[in-house]
Amino acid sequence: MISEIKAKRTAEPIVKFVVDCIADKRYTDIKSKVSVKEDEAMTPDLLEEIVEDFLSFNDLPCIDKYDVPCSFNPSYEYNQLEIYTDDDGFEAEYALTTNSELNDLTLVMRFDRLKFGRIKAYVLDAHVM
């Protein structure tokens, strides 16, 4: 099983790329670093529909880029990126923000371990937590 520290170090640049693509509305670019599982329906088009519908429904202007700090209150330790490891790889959950505030939408990604230490990344969902 991969350590949580190594999993976070592996996931962070890919999660950052996906979040920045969402923030810039470059959903089709996500395919350059993230695969689409054959048995899953989460495509860049569906992700776009989910995110844009969420923004519209909640009257929010945008999703922040990955590096925008979250002004979470109360001020106790809060991690926007959570990692959950298992024998086959790990999952990453990233709490999306708008104008530095949590907006309740969470990006969920899966990272499967392949041969020779390689990782294959997938977007599993974007949903309200």
Side-chain angles (χ1 to χ4, degrees):
M1 184 154 52
I2 190 169
S3 75
E4 189 175 326
I5 293 169
K6 185 174 182 183
K8 185 172 183 177
R9 199 174 26 231
T10 300
E12 194 161 24
I14 298 170
V15 172
K16 179 186 183 319
F17 176 79
V18 172
V19 171
D20 289 350
C21 283
I22 292 169
D24 293 336
K25 299 185 185 303
R26 296 181 293 115
Y27 294 93
T28 56
D29 290 354
I30 292 170
K31 292 187 285 188
S32 69
K33 292 195 180 189
V34 176
S35 300
V36 175
K37 276 191 167 190
E38 297 296 324
D39 59 341
E40 298 289 330
M42 185 53 68
T43 63
D45 290 340
L46 181 56
L47 180 61
E48 178 178 12
E49 182 180 329
I50 291 168
V51 172
E52 296 304 320
D53 285 352
F54 175 83
L55 291 172
S56 177
F57 181 78
N58 291 286
D59 199 28
L60 297 172
C62 64
I63 297 293
D64 292 335
K65 288 193 174 213
Y66 186 89
D67 294 327
V68 173
C70 179
S71 57
F72 186 74
N73 270 324
S75 60
Y76 59 84
E77 185 176 334
Y78 174 76
N79 295 312
Q80 260 182 290
L81 178 61
E82 293 289 339
I83 302 292
Y84 305 96
T85 62
D86 58 45
D87 291 337
D88 299 321
F90 54 95
E91 286 191 11
E93 292 183 355
Y94 183 81
L96 297 166
T97 60
T98 297
N99 298 326
S100 295
E101 295 189 11
L102 292 175
N103 62 26
D104 292 332
L105 192 63
T106 299
L107 175 69
V108 182
M109 295 187 66
R110 174 78 195 165
F111 296 81
D112 287 338
R113 290 179 355 158
L114 305 174
K115 292 180 182 177
F116 309 113
R118 296 183 49 140
I119 296 287
K120 194 167 194 177
Y122 306 94
V123 173
L124 293 182
D125 200 5
H127 62 261
V128 175
M129 291 295 274

